[in-house]
Amino acid sequence: MCSSDLSALSGSRAALAYPFMVAALAWIRARAGRSSAALPLARRAVLFAVLTLIAHALLPFLNDGLALSRADTAFSRLNESSWFFRLAAWETAIRLFLAQPLAGVGPGQFAGAAFVDGLPSRIDDAFHVWTSAHNFVLQVAVEWGLIGLAGLFLVLWPMLRQVYRDRSQAFDPAQWWVASVVAIELLHALVEYPLGSAHFLALTALSLGLLVGGAPTAKPGTYRRVGLLATVSLVSFLLGWLWRDYAVLDETRATGAGITLAGSSSADAARLQAVASGPLAPLAKRALCEGLVLDKQALASKLALTEEVARFWPSPAVIIRQSAFLALGGQAGEGARLMTRLPRSTDPLLAALLLDQAAREDPSAIAALRAYLPRQ
């Protein structure tokens, strides 16, 4: 009951779907394996799914009874047109994969490739940036190509085959629940991007490791101990590096460095430059890009930075800056071409403000871009 109530309070569509997926997997296991031991588990899984459904249905009445604001529920969010967005994203992903099938467009560059290809109108009207194909297999295919798909298959298939073989021989309720977590996360990854979030990825990896790890040896050998020690040391170092860089990013956001990195924010710019060579480089470069002063000083490096950031985060703020730098560098035509690709959801006031800042440096160069400002 507690799990069902917490699931309802989350308002998540996935939290509503997961119990039914667990129930379906439990009944498939009970029927396919003809195991009487699995039937009680299947009945409990169905009961959990029914309780979760009731909890989600009663949540609006509970909010009304306690005079609480009526937040979005999983049922209300099912009425959204998100499936249309997913279908459009899948169509775009397939088109991008067919254009570069061998090695893909590059890691993390789905968003930039989709922007250049031209976002479908359904997405273009509603979102500034669309960074995911909402399908893990398609995401790998677009960004890594056939090479990435082959690597994914070689990594996952042996482990999943071993899990299926081991679990089909003898029924163990505890291990079955762990296996169901892996199955559900992989199914969820076909319509969403849970494996792009650290907590979902960690849960899936930990669950899969528990299933394929096998029985522990009595005493690991010397080479195994050295390998484990080296792995733990490397992971500890990387976690410390990530924590330090994350703290820098958090502090610079708090001081408003994303607005401009000139003047009083020059110290923040220097700190972000150091982070831009580490594991959080994309986030640091995005912050640097969104804080660039729109003038001709160091124009080549500013243009190179905006072009790099646009490959993984082609937001209107980044694209307008890139267009302005192109115009200031004498490439007004190329800048205007980028402006025509801005999503229709772009804030016209933001666009006008950025072009006004660039016009202080060279009004005639920026004038050609004003014709492509989005309408209010």
Side-chain angles (χ1 to χ4, degrees), residues 11 13 16 52-53 55-58 60 73-80:
R13 291 168 296 188
L16 178 62
T52 301
L53 180 66
H56 278 267
L58 292 179
T73 65
F75 286 127
S76 65
R77 298 184 67 202
L78 287 174
N79 294 325
E80 295 177 0

Side-chain angles (χ1 to χ4, degrees), residues 304-330:
L305 178 61
T306 55
E307 290 175 348
E308 181 181 358
V309 173
R311 295 191 189 104
F312 61 84
W313 189 255
S315 67
V318 172
I319 297 302
I320 294 170
R321 282 179 168 85
Q322 184 180 0
S323 301
F325 289 133
L326 285 168
L328 292 175

Side-chain angles (χ1 to χ4, degrees), residues 82-108:
S82 57
W83 279 108
F84 292 103
F85 296 138
R86 281 164 175 74
L87 290 174
W90 294 344
E91 293 171 5
T92 301
I94 293 172
R95 190 165 57 248
L96 292 174
F97 169 67
L98 294 176
Q100 300 187 54
L102 183 59
V105 301

Side-chain angles (χ1 to χ4, degrees), residues 7-338:
S7 169
L9 290 173
S10 72
S12 169
R13 291 168 296 188
L16 178 62
Y18 277 16
F20 289 92
M21 296 170 73
V22 170
L25 291 172
W27 276 104
I28 290 172
R29 176 64 182 88
R31 295 298 183 183
R34 295 181 173 85
S35 172
S36 59
L39 284 175
L41 174 69
R43 295 191 186 100
R44 294 188 185 96
V46 171
L47 177 61
F48 176 51
V50 172
L51 290 176
T52 301
L53 180 66
I54 294 173
H56 278 267
L58 292 179
L59 182 61
F61 300 100
L62 176 64
N63 288 336
D64 291 341
L66 297 177
L68 299 175
S69 59
R70 176 168 288 195
D72 288 340
T73 65
F75 286 127
S76 65
R77 298 184 67 202
L78 287 174
N79 294 325
E80 295 177 0
S81 56
S82 57
W83 279 108
F84 292 103
F85 296 138
R86 281 164 175 74
L87 290 174
W90 294 344
E91 293 171 5
T92 301
I94 293 172
R95 190 165 57 248
L96 292 174
F97 169 67
L98 294 176
Q100 300 187 54
L102 183 59
V105 301
Q109 297 187 25
F110 171 84
F115 173 81
V116 173
D117 181 74
L119 289 171
S121 59
R122 285 170 286 185
I123 296 177
D124 196 46
D125 290 340
F127 297 93
H128 291 166
V129 183
W130 190 272
T131 60
S132 171
H134 282 67
N135 182 294
F136 180 64
V137 176
L138 286 177
Q139 189 85 14
V140 173
V142 171
E143 297 185 351
W144 296 87
L146 291 173
I147 296 174
L149 287 177
L152 179 66
F153 178 81
L154 291 175
V155 169
L156 282 181
W157 176 248
M159 292 189 290
L160 295 178
R161 185 178 60 180
Q162 178 183 339
V163 170
Y164 176 78
R165 184 178 63 247
D166 294 345
R167 302 305 156 243
S168 60
Q169 293 176 354
F171 180 74
D172 183 341
Q175 296 234 350
W176 182 89
W177 279 106
V178 177
S180 70
V181 170
V182 176
I184 288 171
E185 291 298 343
L186 294 180
L187 290 172
H188 190 197
L190 296 179
V191 295
E192 196 52 91
Y193 47 94
L195 299 183
S197 301
H199 48 300
F200 281 105
L201 179 61
L203 177 62
T204 306
L206 178 61
S207 301
L208 191 55
L210 289 172
L211 293 171
V212 302
T217 57
K219 184 179 180 181
T222 302
Y223 292 110
R224 184 177 177 84
R225 289 200 300 270
V226 171
L228 289 173
L229 179 61
T231 301
V232 171
S233 301
L234 178 60
V235 171
S236 299
F237 170 76
L238 291 176
L239 287 175
W241 192 0
L242 284 168
W243 177 257
R244 186 205 65 175
D245 287 0
Y246 179 81
V248 172
L249 287 171
D250 192 54
E251 290 172 3
T252 53
R253 282 197 296 265
T255 59
I259 300 174
T260 175
L261 295 177
S264 60
S265 296
S266 58
D268 288 328
R271 299 179 70 193
L272 285 173
Q273 288 287 0
V275 175
S277 59
L280 296 182
L283 293 175
K285 290 180 178 180
R286 176 185 162 190
L288 284 167
C289 177
E290 293 179 347
L292 290 174
V293 180
L294 294 170
D295 58 22
K296 293 183 179 180
Q297 185 176 356
L299 185 58
S301 63
K302 289 179 177 179
L303 184 56
L305 178 61
T306 55
E307 290 175 348
E308 181 181 358
V309 173
R311 295 191 189 104
F312 61 84
W313 189 255
S315 67
V318 172
I319 297 302
I320 294 170
R321 282 179 168 85
Q322 184 180 0
S323 301
F325 289 133
L326 285 168
L328 292 175
Q331 304 179 62
E334 184 65 18
R337 185 187 67 81
L338 283 178

